[in-house]
Amino acid sequence: MKVLKFGGTSVQSAEMMKHVGEIVKNARIEGQVAVVVSAMSGITDKLIQVSSLASQGDESYLKFLQEIEKKHLQCIQELLPPQNQTRAVAAVMMMLNELKDVLQGLFLLKEMSLKSRDFVMSFGERLSSLIISEYFKTLGMEALLVDARELIVTDNNFGNATVNFEETDKRIRKYFSRTDKLIVMGGFIASTLQNETTTLGRGGSDYTASIVAAGIQAKSLEIWTDVDGMMTADPRKVRKTMVLKQVSYIEALELSHFGAKVLYPPSVQPVLSKNIPLKIKNTFNPAAEGTVVARESVDNGSPIKGISSIETVALISLNGSGMVGVSGFAKRLFSALANGRINVILITQASSEHSISVAINMQDAVQAKALLEKEFEIERKNGLIDPIIVEQQMSILAIVGENMRNTPNVAGKLFSALGRNGVNVRAIAQGSSENNISFVTQAVDCRKALNIVHEAFFLSDTKVLNAFLIGVGTVGGTLLRQMREQQEYFLNEYNVEIRVVGIANSRKMWFDENGIHLPDWKNLLDNNGEPMSLGEFSSKMHDLNLRNSILVDCTASEELVDLYEEALQRGISVVTPNKVACSGRYELYRRLKQTATQRGAKFLFETNVGAGLPVIKTLNDLTQSGDKILKIEAILSGTLNFLFNEHKAGVSFSSVVKKAQELGYSEPDPRIDMNGLDVARKILILSRESGSILESKDVVSENFLPEECQKANSIADFFKVLPNYDEHFENIRANVEKAGKRQRYIAVYEKGKLHTGLREVGPDSPFFQVEGNDNLVLFWTERYKVRPLIVKGAGAGAEVTAAGIFADIIRIANF
Ligand code: ADP
Ligand code: ASP
Ligand code: MG
């Protein structure tokens, strides 16, 4: 004998019921079958709605009642052959009339007890079981419809009644022993010994099926639903979930207790007690193997089986020094809650005994607080305990698996994954059986935390990076192109999935949580984008609350820097070629770095110096391995180097400057490069990364640009006056060349001092041979005292800068 239970979506329409018919027919070939069905999907909710509207004297309940009627009648029409419809329609109409009468009564009396609500809800399963049993008959199966209320006996705790197993088992055994027909019944509903209708709690049809299976010692229980089985997490909330082949009863219980809706938690106990295997199968995809729930768990290659969550709970905390060493506090707390029939989902107590926290359903929070305030009134007055704290909008998450017991560092992996992504954990509980670790976070972080943990335990091979890019000009645009070109490579070679979730320019912003289709980014931004506002961009990024989020600032704007700190605070990494933050006030630089460290986020700005060259990385590697920086000498401006390399006899200096601008080597206003400010910023950043506390005013800069050029009102004016000085520059150049030397703009950091300026270097200098727009950095350190460590290469241009930003982004994947 087998028991098959079909959930609401499995009987949501005539079409689905036909699938059910197939499945049941096949099962019948093997032997005796009992079928338990839920109400058609959505009907229980509607019944609750009509009963509350009616009891509030709101006539609109009639409209919803009509919808209920229509859904069932339409189903009959589509499902049954015409000759069988009359009887079914008559039976359904009789039930619906009864329902109408009840609702009319509620409407007139403006009364709504849990008892009457249970009665109204019972119609859902009564109707669906009636229709499907009629359908089975048309398939040639001898179906016997039984009213579950005649078999399942409970107490009178309406809404969530407790089963009287002795009486229930007796009735089930007796009933089943009399027939070998196909038995069909509604789940969820039951009755008291006095024949009052009760229900077993939302989702309770699973329980009915399990009770029946245990009562008749069935060979197996099959729960047919709308997913391929029990999964590593709720597929509606987590990407890339996997079906579990086999879990133990205990694991299934823990996962469902903490929110895996696929199985109603009380359903485990009856089958467990009789050692009846339970299978979870997909009505939409019967070929899928499904999940077996049995005594033994089967290794799935991970220390955990899954993660589940209850999205909205309240956390109530009792704190106070008066609790330490005094027995009975916990008992009184739980008794008070139990007396109010408040279900405690999770308990934690600090080992100092100074605080106990319990998680409960949010709707119980107000009552729970009142009960506890009353219970501990005297202690409160005497100052032995603090006011009771209630935190709403919290979530409980739990990782579950019997294998956890044998695997060290599961908790470490769990909490470090959460910590790295800025998810704050408010309370933690681990069952002494070590089958689960549960923890409480704010509800806004629930989905993110689920995904982080799921990724850490099941997809540790694939890491998703979620980038938010502001600035899609030359560098930003190139970065997007490089990302598009490399996306597949990183996924295949390194299991890193790069998603660009948000992009913005100064006018528009565009988001796509699943990753913007990169070949179309321009189109999407221009045509679909909303008006850009930094505040809203930032809010959207925080609201999306995605794991491994990265803010990429490809602008030169000062305003954006304000966004960095908030992002880092929330565990969002920041990557930028924008030098403003690191070369601004030292205090800001320090705070950003410190916040990043504290929050487990990264603040990466390799491209602040030397574009894509690993200048900062090399410096960091040296200092982190205990070396000491003695001196840095460098050509840090690819632009200036280009100018002095290209300026030759017969080529005017002004034309070289123009060319640099046109090639995008210089800033749009080349003076920013030529006045040494850009170099000053870079050497300042290197000094800070070497450990010096210096400000921009500490950089001694020599300016080679004549005053008139500096003062020109616009870029255009600058280019007008610059040719006046072509001769001046040519004279210098010719003299330097005659002396066998070259002009180089060099920055020096030594003994806490910063200096930049134009130098004439001879062939014996390493700076002599620096070609094109290359950069060259010499690190003189304790270890590299005799000959410096040299980093050399292209130090300007969109391609190399974008590549450097890309490398920083990728570094975030390699924790
Ligand atoms: P039914 O109506 O068949 O009883 P439910 O809606 O009660 O179906 O339960 C099935 C749903 O449970 C799935 O659609 C899925 O979204 C959700 N669910 C939550 N956690 C899990 C999990 N760990 N594995 C599978 N499904 C889950
Ligand atoms: N129909 C009931 C509900 O929606 C019971 C069930 O579907 O399991 O809660
Ligand atoms: Mg269910």
Side-chain angles (χ1 to χ4, degrees):
M1 175 96 173
K2 253 188 189 179
V3 178
L4 272 57
K5 178 260 170 178
F6 294 90
T9 45
S10 303
V11 293
Q12 68 185 339
S13 60
E15 199 196 326
M16 281 314 295
M17 287 191 190
K18 288 179 187 167
H19 288 297
V20 171
E22 280 296 305
I23 294 164
V24 173
K25 245 170 115 175
N26 285 336
R28 274 290 273 182
I29 297 170
E30 291 168 30
Q32 169 68 313
V33 170
V35 170
V36 176
V37 289
S38 290
M40 293 175 84
S41 150
I43 293 296
T44 309
D45 287 338
K46 274 229 165 78
L47 288 166
I48 295 174
Q49 195 184 11
V50 284
S51 59
S52 48
L53 285 172
S55 65
Q56 287 157 18
D58 184 337
E59 273 192 344
S60 67
Y61 81 87
L62 288 164
K63 192 178 114 229
F64 295 107
L65 189 59
Q66 246 172 22
E67 285 175 17
I68 295 174
E69 180 178 317
K70 196 171 149 211
K71 179 157 177 154
H72 289 94
L73 293 180
Q74 189 183 345
C75 176
I76 294 175
Q77 267 169 20
E78 290 170 15
L79 187 66
L80 303 180
Q83 66 273 24
N84 299 67
Q85 283 183 14
T86 325
R87 199 177 61 188
V89 170
V92 162
M93 285 316 291
M94 217 162 81
M95 261 187 214
L96 287 169
N97 283 336
E98 189 189 349
L99 174 61
K100 247 179 232 166
D101 290 346
V102 181
L103 290 168
Q104 168 86 2
L106 296 182
F107 179 74
L108 293 173
L109 294 171
K110 293 211 168 47
E111 181 264 2
M112 172 66 161
S113 63
L114 287 175
K115 181 172 162 181
S116 32
R117 207 181 70 163
D118 269 2
F119 188 65
V120 172
M121 281 198 287
S122 74
F123 283 88
E125 270 69 10
R126 286 161 63 193
L127 286 162
S128 62
S129 57
L130 169 79
I131 295 173
I132 205 144
S133 71
E134 288 298 320
Y135 175 58
F136 288 159
K137 286 179 199 159
T138 69
L139 295 179
M141 294 187 278
E142 265 195 285
L144 193 61
L145 175 66
V146 46
D147 189 331
R149 294 174 299 174
E150 286 168 19
L151 299 185
I152 317 284
V153 181
T154 67
D155 66 3
N156 64 356
N157 181 28
F158 297 101
N160 196 4
T162 304
V163 175
N164 173 343
F165 275 98
E166 211 184 310
E167 182 61 27
T168 302
D169 280 347
K170 210 163 37 180
R171 291 190 188 190
I172 289 174
R173 276 198 298 270
K174 191 166 159 205
Y175 189 88
F176 278 80
S177 67
R178 287 200 314 240
T179 180
D180 57 3
K181 289 186 178 163
L182 167 65
I183 290 169
V184 180
M185 63 195 275
F188 181 52
I189 58 177
S191 73
T192 65
L193 281 168
Q194 289 72 39
N195 293 328
E196 299 157 306
T197 300
T198 55
T199 60
L200 303 176
R202 295 302 306 270
S205 294
D206 298 342
Y207 193 23
T208 308
S210 178
I211 296 166
V212 172
I216 56 176
Q217 188 68 55
K219 196 169 84 195
S220 70
L221 165 63
E222 293 177 5
I223 304 265
W224 289 80
T225 182
D226 59 356
V227 283
D228 278 348
M230 195 160 227
M231 310 215 175
T232 45
D234 186 341
R236 280 174 305 191
K237 298 177 187 159
V238 174
R239 294 164 198 274
K240 298 190 182 160
T241 52
M242 285 158 277
V243 179
L244 295 160
K245 220 175 165 58
Q246 179 160 336
V247 298
S248 70
Y249 293 119
I250 305 297
E251 288 169 335
L253 181 63
E254 300 264 11
L255 280 169
S256 63
H257 175 73
F258 287 104
K261 195 188 164 210
V262 65
L263 196 62
Y264 183 50
S267 333
V268 176
Q269 183 53 39
V271 283
L272 181 153
S273 67
K274 298 281 173 69
N275 204 10
I276 299 169
L278 186 161
K279 246 190 180 179
I280 299 173
K281 296 270 298 173
N282 190 351
T283 313
F284 295 76
N285 181 19
E289 264 183 63
T291 302
V292 174
V293 183
R295 208 166 278 288
E296 301 295 324
S297 168
V298 165
D299 189 5
N300 60 331
S302 166
I304 73 166
K305 279 284 160 26
I307 167 156
S308 53
S309 67
I310 308 174
E311 234 165 281
T312 46
V313 299
L315 192 65
I316 297 210
S317 305
L318 194 63
N319 300 309
S321 53
M323 285 159 59
V324 182
V326 181
S327 62
F329 266 95
K331 176 168 175 276
R332 282 170 59 199
L333 177 117
F334 295 119
S335 303
L337 294 175
N339 290 340
R341 279 192 170 271
I342 291 172
N343 181 30
V344 173
I345 311 168
L346 170 144
I347 308 159
T348 65
Q349 177 168 31
S351 57
S352 67
E353 296 184 32
H354 184 261
S355 120
I356 305 178
S357 299
V358 294
I360 56 174
N361 286 320
M362 216 152 74
Q363 66 265 29
D364 295 333
V366 175
Q367 192 201 350
K369 184 167 189 244
L371 286 169
L372 296 182
E373 275 169 351
K374 188 148 169 271
E375 177 66 37
F376 295 105
E377 201 175 345
I378 297 171
E379 286 82 357
R380 275 277 304 120
K381 279 201 181 121
N382 297 338
L384 290 173
I385 63 164
D386 305 334
I388 285 153
I389 300 170
V390 180
E391 291 164 276
Q392 308 249 23
Q393 299 295 347
M394 308 298 279
S395 296
I396 299 182
L397 291 88
I399 58 168
V400 171
E402 290 193 9
N403 218 358
M404 261 158 59
R405 225 176 328 203
N406 313 316
T407 318
N409 199 31
V410 173
K413 188 167 180 175
L414 170 68
F415 294 115
S416 64
L418 292 167
R420 274 198 311 268
N421 283 281
V423 173
N424 204 4
V425 174
R426 288 280 300 103
I428 300 170
Q430 175 167 29
S432 57
S433 59
E434 290 186 47
N435 289 325
N436 96 53
I437 300 175
S438 37
F439 56 98
V440 179
T441 67
Q442 285 194 318
V444 286
D445 285 333
C446 180
R447 243 167 214 262
K448 177 178 173 183
L450 280 172
N451 279 282
I452 291 165
V453 174
H454 192 263
E455 186 177 283
F457 283 97
F458 297 105
L459 311 168
S460 49
D461 298 345
T462 308
K463 192 144 261 159
V464 178
L465 298 178
N466 293 297
F468 295 82
L469 170 66
I470 307 186
V472 290
T474 323
V475 171
T478 308
L479 175 64
L480 286 170
R481 198 203 73 232
Q482 290 181 355
M483 283 176 155
R484 188 190 74 214
E485 288 167 357
Q486 301 287 326
Q487 256 171 343
E488 211 179 304
Y489 170 76
F490 276 98
L491 191 61
N492 295 338
E493 293 294 314
Y494 296 102
N495 283 321
V496 174
E497 190 180 335
I498 303 160
R499 286 196 202 137
V500 181
V501 175
I503 46 174
N505 56 24
S506 56
R507 286 164 288 112
K508 294 212 166 157
M509 56 184 189
W510 172 249
F511 298 89
D512 184 344
E513 192 178 341
N514 298 315
I516 294 168
H517 184 53
L518 287 184
D520 280 346
W521 72 263
K522 220 180 172 80
N523 225 336
L524 291 164
L525 182 65
D526 288 346
N527 300 328
N528 302 6
E530 330 160 25
M532 168 63 174
S533 120
L534 278 184
E536 275 171 37
F537 189 94
S538 163
S539 307
K540 181 80 187 188
M541 178 173 72
H542 295 307
D543 291 349
L544 281 170
N545 206 3
L546 300 170
R547 64 209 183 286
N548 298 334
S549 286
I550 307 166
L551 172 63
V552 184
D553 170 14
C554 281
T555 72
S557 155
E558 296 201 4
E559 281 170 83
L560 250 82
V561 172
D562 295 339
L563 261 51
Y564 296 3
E565 195 164 358
E566 196 191 349
L568 293 169
Q569 281 282 2
R570 298 193 187 213
I572 297 178
S573 293
V574 175
V575 170
T576 185
N578 184 346
K579 289 183 269 294
V580 173
C582 289
S583 62
R585 283 177 302 109
Y586 180 82
E587 174 50 25
L588 173 68
Y589 160 84
R590 188 198 60 81
R591 229 174 38 230
L592 291 174
K593 292 202 60 145
Q594 189 186 42
T595 311
T597 312
Q598 282 168 351
R599 297 289 161 166
K602 300 231 167 182
F603 176 38
L604 301 177
F605 43 88
E606 178 62 83
T607 45
N608 275 198
V609 182
L613 291 179
V615 177
I616 294 177
K617 183 173 183 307
T618 305
L619 174 51
N620 291 159
D621 287 348
L622 290 169
T623 53
Q624 277 160 17
S625 61
D627 204 351
K628 195 166 174 287
I629 307 294
L630 302 176
K631 180 176 171 182
I632 300 172
E633 274 183 296
I635 289 181
L636 293 175
S637 170
T639 320
L640 291 181
N641 210 49
F642 176 82
L643 295 186
F644 294 116
N645 278 328
E646 292 288 305
H647 187 205
K648 300 185 175 103
V651 183
S652 73
F653 189 67
S654 59
S655 71
V656 179
V657 176
K658 190 78 202 155
K659 186 169 165 196
Q661 190 211 34
E662 278 163 9
L663 287 173
Y665 289 165
S666 77
E667 299 286 327
D669 184 345
R671 288 174 295 179
I672 295 181
D673 297 298
M674 294 167 78
N675 65 13
L677 182 62
D678 184 58
V679 173
R681 283 174 171 174
K682 289 173 180 167
I683 192 72
L684 177 64
I685 294 170
L686 292 183
S687 77
R688 288 174 173 179
E689 289 288 296
S690 307
S692 283
I693 303 173
L694 291 168
E695 297 290 351
S696 55
K697 65 174 171 38
D698 298 322
V699 189
V700 180
S701 283
E702 284 165 33
N703 192 349
F704 66 87
L705 201 59
E707 205 172 323
E708 195 189 358
C709 301
Q710 294 269 26
K711 287 203 171 138
N713 283 328
S714 63
I715 302 176
D717 283 352
F718 162 69
F719 275 109
K720 261 187 222 141
V721 295
L722 188 61
N724 301 340
Y725 295 91
D726 276 344
E727 202 183 323
H728 159 78
F729 285 113
E730 174 54 26
N731 287 340
I732 302 175
R733 192 202 64 77
N735 281 336
V736 172
E737 192 179 49
K738 211 185 284 164
K741 293 187 172 178
R742 285 179 186 164
Q743 282 181 291
R744 296 289 180 241
Y745 197 85
I746 292 173
V748 182
Y749 161 65
E750 189 176 16
K751 299 199 176 103
K753 296 253 184 308
L754 296 168
H755 191 274
T756 71
L758 205 50
R759 297 278 169 277
E760 293 161 12
V761 299
D764 53 339
S765 161
F767 293 113
F768 188 80
Q769 283 295 357
V770 183
E771 313 289 334
N773 61 1
D774 278 7
N775 278 196
L776 174 74
V777 186
L778 309 181
F779 291 106
W780 302 88
T781 74
E782 291 282 3
R783 285 187 209 137
Y784 292 93
K785 233 182 205 157
V786 182
R787 268 171 288 118
L789 177 66
I790 298 177
V791 180
K792 184 181 173 198
E799 281 298 329
V800 283
T801 307
I805 302 167
F806 199 179
D808 272 352
I809 293 174
I810 292 297
R811 272 171 70 192
I812 291 166
N814 306 327
F815 288 106

